[in-house]
Amino acid sequence: MLRFRDIVLGTGPRPGECRLCTPAPESPVPVFRPAEEILADLAAHPGEIGAPVGVRLTGADPLAHPDPPSLVAAAVRTGAQRVALDTPGEGLARPGAADALLAAGARVFEVALLGSTEATHDRLAARSGSFDALAEGLAAVASAAEGREARVFVRARVTVCPHTVADLPATVMRCAELGASQVVLVAREGVDPRRALEWIGAACDTGTVNRLWVSVSGVPAEALGERGLHAVDPFEAVHAGSLP
């Protein structure tokens, strides 16, 4: 089990939200909390949620921060055994960004994918070029990890909604091609699992064939039937400290 303490950096667009289901936020620009507040949360003792524990930088996109490696390095200095970034992933494509994050100590990258093709993902994310940037960014992470002989964990989050459900198996296949270590299918509130189960089940099977664990969130384990084990998520995030 990968246990993480969430550190909310600020507010901003949530990675992976289908913009046909969720209205765009009032401000597309992330708003970060004061540095001293973030550092105080990083320094807070995580003992109450058990060990081993890592830190996940979430809320506002960490890669939109003026100095993402400094946030990672601060988490490492407080003793975090793993540092995860919750991000759309596009910022990883900036020259040198992936290598700088790995040099600072980042090892887990949680990214969002909304479809198996460039056209589908960009349309649902409402950001032209976002699919290509994500793919380029993950390739940069893989290259930097190989150069540093570092092990990284890529977790892909896929929203399950009426606009993505029929594409789930192909999307899981694309996640495998992009180098993901795990996929989590996140069912939006209001999704009827009975109508989505066929596609969710096929997506789980696609992951199994490709040696990629697929977890399902938002659907009761009993509803998954023989695929009930897919309700197990090896990634556990726990809110702690002075988080809002």
Side-chain angles (χ1 to χ4, degrees):
M1 181 72 71
L2 303 175
R3 295 176 62 83
F4 289 84
R5 185 164 55 108
D6 273 354
I7 301 296
V8 176
L9 302 178
T11 59
R14 175 65 178 163
E17 290 286 0
C18 170
R19 290 302 167 208
L20 298 184
C21 293
T22 307
E26 292 183 5
S27 173
V29 180
V31 178
F32 289 94
R33 298 164 62 203
E36 58 271 19
E37 291 185 10
I38 296 173
L39 293 174
D41 280 349
L42 285 169
H45 194 276
E48 69 272 14
I49 63 171
V53 67
V55 162
R56 181 171 69 160
L57 305 177
T58 187
D61 179 8
L63 301 182
H65 188 270
D67 190 3
S70 71
L71 298 176
V72 175
V76 172
R77 286 196 299 272
T78 64
Q81 297 188 19
R82 299 183 184 91
V83 179
L85 303 180
D86 179 14
T87 172
E90 298 154 30
L92 294 168
R94 292 195 295 267
D99 189 64
L101 290 166
L102 264 67
R107 292 295 182 269
V108 181
F109 299 86
E110 181 170 349
V111 299
L113 193 65
L114 283 166
S116 62
T117 66
E118 173 189 353
T120 300
H121 175 84
D122 287 7
R123 177 173 62 88
L124 298 183
R127 292 193 307 277
S128 178
S130 59
F131 181 93
D132 285 345
L134 171 59
E136 185 180 342
L138 291 179
V141 168
S143 177
E146 182 178 1
R148 293 184 173 275
E149 298 184 347
R151 295 183 62 184
V152 297
F153 186 93
V154 176
R155 169 180 161 98
R157 187 172 60 246
V158 179
T159 294
V160 180
C161 72
H163 308 101
T164 65
V165 65
D167 196 32
L168 291 178
T171 302
V172 168
M173 174 71 79
R174 183 51 58 94
C175 289
E177 293 170 353
L178 292 174
S181 311
Q182 182 212 355
V183 175
V184 56
L185 306 179
V186 182
R188 281 181 53 86
E189 185 177 352
V191 169
D192 186 347
R194 293 170 298 180
R195 296 183 178 181
L197 273 179
E198 177 184 357
W199 298 110
I200 291 174
C204 291
D205 294 345
T206 299
T208 300
V209 169
N210 287 276
R211 299 181 180 180
L212 178 68
W213 183 250
V214 176
S215 302
V216 182
S217 173
V219 177
E222 55 270 21
L224 295 174
E226 62 183 10
R227 299 184 182 88
L229 276 178
H230 289 275
V232 176
D233 189 345
F235 187 104
E236 181 181 359
V238 183
H239 292 283
S242 59
L243 299 180

